[in-house]
Amino acid sequence: EAGVTQSPRYAVLQEGQAVSFWCDPISGHDTLYWYQQPRDQGPQLLVYFRDEAVIDNSQLPSDRFSAVRPKGTNSTLKIQSAKQGDTATYLCASSSDWGRRNTLYFGAGTRLSVL
Amino acid sequence: QQKVQQSPESLTVSEGAMASLNCTFSDGTSNNFRWYRQHSAKGLEVLVSIFSDGEKEEGRFTAHLNRANLHVSLHIREPQPSDSAVYLCAVSGSNYQLIWGSGTKLIIKP
């Protein structure tokens, strides 16, 4: 069974440039998460979807970040006008159930550097 | 708001010796505890999930949970150099959202 796939693996930008990250979750997983992981810190939830619906995007900086999952499968996270503070690894995860016992499966992440 | 702290920040252990990692949390109603491992340039891999006080073993990995002491630990039996990685603790409560610690960097010396 294929795992969670993310691309690109690395991105280097100048401040003010835009970038998109793509995620293909495990087949059949209805819940998809995007996390931001700054260096030497734990992941911080940005947004998560159940099917195509956004369930919680309260931690997503809405002025520059957007995320979509139009068909309830693949997802794209976009940063408009990147800032140096956006430098981090962006992780996508998926799960097949909900509640206390759901396990999140992660992709390898996209490492973003904003110069 | 839930706070999750891990200690030590870094740990070096000789191959074959037991490695013990600690995680404290602030919300005593938490009921979902996970240990993940993160190898450099790789995604997070779940090691052990525990939901009630006591012990849960998954192969060489054993988690101990004591909610009264707001503490969950991970013990790695007979660690190998390939176990060198960052180990992350994640905790959630009634809203099921995981709150993560900053990790312990574990180095296993041959």
Side-chain angles (χ1 to χ4, degrees):
Chain A
E1 179 183 85
V4 177
T5 304
Q6 291 187 245
S7 65
R9 289 299 311 277
Y10 304 93
V12 180
L13 306 175
Q14 298 292 330
E15 274 200 321
Q17 290 186 308
V19 64
S20 292
F21 309 134
W22 180 81
C23 175
D24 186 6
I26 293 173
S27 178
H29 281 193
D30 60 355
T31 307
L32 184 147
Y33 306 79
W34 284 103
Y35 284 88
Q36 181 190 62
Q37 186 179 22
R39 186 178 176 84
D40 296 329
Q41 295 185 32
Q44 296 156 14
L45 181 67
L46 291 173
V47 59
Y48 78 97
F49 300 83
R50 188 163 306 120
D51 298 321
E52 68 277 6
V54 173
I55 304 302
D56 184 354
N57 63 358
S58 60
Q59 302 305 309
L60 194 68
S62 59
D63 58 333
R64 297 184 300 107
F65 285 64
S66 62
V68 295
R69 194 186 184 198
K71 297 182 180 179
T73 52
N74 300 339
S75 177
T76 302
L77 176 69
K78 184 173 184 178
I79 306 176
Q80 302 267 20
S81 189
K83 297 182 178 180
Q84 288 188 355
D86 298 331
T87 294
T89 297
Y90 291 81
L91 297 166
C92 178
S94 68
S95 68
S96 64
D97 50 18
W98 183 239
R100 193 168 81 133
R101 298 190 182 251
N102 70 322
T103 297
L104 274 61
Y105 296 90
F106 285 82
T110 297
R111 188 171 294 185
L112 174 66
S113 295
V114 183
L115 307 178
Chain B
Q1 186 178 0
Q2 175 84 271
K3 293 192 185 304
V4 178
Q5 293 188 302
Q6 292 186 238
S7 64
E9 287 188 8
S10 182
L11 177 66
T12 300
V13 172
S14 296
E15 183 175 0
M18 179 77 79
S20 296
L21 290 65
N22 298 296
C23 176
T24 59
F25 51 95
S26 60
D27 183 353
T29 66
S30 301
N31 57 16
N32 182 347
F33 305 85
R34 316 267 180 165
W35 283 98
Y36 279 80
R37 175 167 70 182
Q38 188 172 31
H39 283 109
S40 178
K42 292 187 179 180
L44 282 79
E45 170 193 14
V46 62
L47 299 173
V48 185
S49 302
I50 186 167
F51 308 108
S52 57
D53 286 344
E55 179 179 300
K56 175 79 177 293
E57 181 177 317
E58 296 282 0
R60 295 183 296 109
F61 302 95
T62 301
H64 290 268
L65 174 62
N66 184 328
R67 286 195 293 176
N69 289 342
L70 304 176
H71 182 260
V72 59
S73 59
L74 178 70
H75 305 274
I76 307 173
R77 179 168 44 87
E78 297 177 2
Q80 310 295 315
S82 58
D83 291 320
S84 297
V86 175
Y87 288 75
L88 291 155
C89 169
V91 180
S92 71
S94 58
N95 68 356
Y96 308 130
Q97 288 309 308
L98 292 174
I99 305 299
W100 298 77
S102 296
T104 292
K105 183 177 182 179
L106 177 65
I107 299 170
I108 306 299
K109 290 195 312 182

